[in-house]
Amino acid sequence: MMMKNINVLITGASSGIGEALAEYYAANGAARLFICGRNAKRLEKVRASCVALGAEVFAEVLDVADSKAMAEWVVRCNDIAPLNLAIANAGTGTVNETDDSIRNTFATNVNGVINTVLPVLQAYRARPAQYAEDKAVAVVSSMAGYHGLPTCPAYSASKACVKAWGEALRPVLKREGIRMSVICPGFVRSRITDQNTCPMPFFMEAPQAAKIIAEGIKANKGIIAFPWPLRFVVWLVSVLPNCVSDLLYGRLPPKA
């Protein structure tokens, strides 16, 4: 996929990886950016930053858990300019595992991805055959999605769902000429990691993560997991017998 002159939609763009991705695409020649977030003040700051970098930006305050609002927003964006790339990035951390926070985690991290991807796919499929623009989707999972984590059960489960869904959709969508990438970052500076009290090995700043993600999408990678040492560790633990992984995870300190 060419990085210049494409129309990019990004959810959760008011902070963290979403903000860094919006600024990366604006700086690298994206024609139009469609961004959303729940915080109007932060979203406006990102919009202004991207405009200063040369992009035409359309920003809207939205909750990705609202399926009707998301479907209507995607239609509006696609009517303004045919979308080439949609990144379902919006996510939240569980913090304390209360009934409400667990439900909110799944509503945002799972339903929010579904509410982004389904209308985007509908827009792609409705596009006249004579238009040959690139069509790509990327969903943001996490290294936490490789194995259930006792320090964040709801968060890791929600990210595992996103990872599995994206991996399963990739060969299906390939037959339709639609590219699918699953993004599994490690610890990247964001409002979620700002709340973490646990050790965060291989910690990364958001702009560096955005560059890795954008280049991975451009190369049509199925899984964009980084940094590689952390990916190796979480993959290894995920294939170990439960008795071993239970022992390892049992040594982790409880979340403060």
Side-chain angles (χ1 to χ4, degrees):
M1 171 182 289
M2 294 296 292
M3 199 168 292
K4 293 186 177 181
N5 301 318
I6 62 172
N7 304 312
V8 184
L9 179 149
I10 305 170
T11 66
S14 59
S15 63
I17 290 176
E19 176 183 3
L21 281 168
E23 292 177 346
Y24 182 90
Y25 281 107
N28 284 275
R32 297 171 189 85
L33 288 175
F34 301 95
I35 60 175
C36 76
R38 289 190 291 186
N39 185 289
K41 186 176 181 180
R42 289 199 305 268
L43 190 66
E44 172 56 27
K45 181 181 177 183
V46 177
R47 187 200 68 80
S49 174
C50 292
V51 168
L53 290 168
E56 184 177 6
V57 186
F58 301 84
E60 192 151 343
V61 177
L62 282 173
D63 182 353
V64 293
D66 186 335
S67 60
K68 184 174 184 293
M70 284 298 295
E72 291 172 350
W73 179 59
V74 170
V75 169
R76 288 197 300 274
C77 295
N78 193 63
D79 284 346
I80 293 170
L83 297 173
N84 303 115
L85 168 63
I87 304 177
N89 164 75
T92 187
T94 311
V95 190
N96 297 314
E97 294 270 334
T98 65
D99 289 359
D100 286 343
S101 68
I102 291 168
R103 293 180 187 280
N104 179 63
T105 296
F106 280 94
T108 303
N109 294 359
V110 178
N111 292 345
V113 170
I114 294 170
N115 294 340
T116 305
V117 172
L118 293 185
V120 167
L121 293 181
Q122 188 173 17
Y124 284 168
R125 288 163 175 157
R127 191 165 297 170
Q130 65 264 34
Y131 294 102
E133 299 100 340
D134 281 310
K135 297 174 289 185
V137 178
V139 295
V140 177
S141 176
S142 168
M143 288 286 188
Y146 275 80
H147 192 285
L149 296 176
T151 54
C152 52
Y155 180 78
S156 61
S158 67
K159 292 301 186 179
C161 179
V162 171
K163 179 176 180 288
W165 192 48
E167 288 174 319
L169 279 179
R170 180 173 167 84
V172 175
L173 296 179
K174 182 179 179 180
R175 295 194 287 267
E176 302 179 55
I178 300 171
R179 304 177 185 185
M180 166 62 81
S181 295
V182 178
I183 302 160
C184 297
F187 296 106
V188 177
R189 188 177 300 281
S190 68
R191 294 178 65 243
I192 294 176
T193 58
D194 286 346
Q195 301 175 73
N196 280 355
T197 57
C198 61
M200 294 186 285
F202 307 105
F203 188 78
M204 185 178 293
E205 297 296 333
Q208 183 183 358
K211 183 175 187 294
I212 293 170
I213 291 167
E215 290 177 350
I217 293 172
K218 182 180 178 183
N220 192 25
K221 290 186 176 180
I223 295 286
I224 305 168
F226 59 93
W228 72 262
L230 187 58
R231 181 185 184 184
F232 175 75
V233 171
V234 297
W235 169 82
L236 180 61
V237 174
S238 73
V239 298
L240 290 173
N242 278 2
C243 60
V244 180
S245 60
D246 286 349
L247 180 64
L248 293 173
Y249 283 131
R251 295 178 179 273
L252 293 177
K255 182 182 290 186

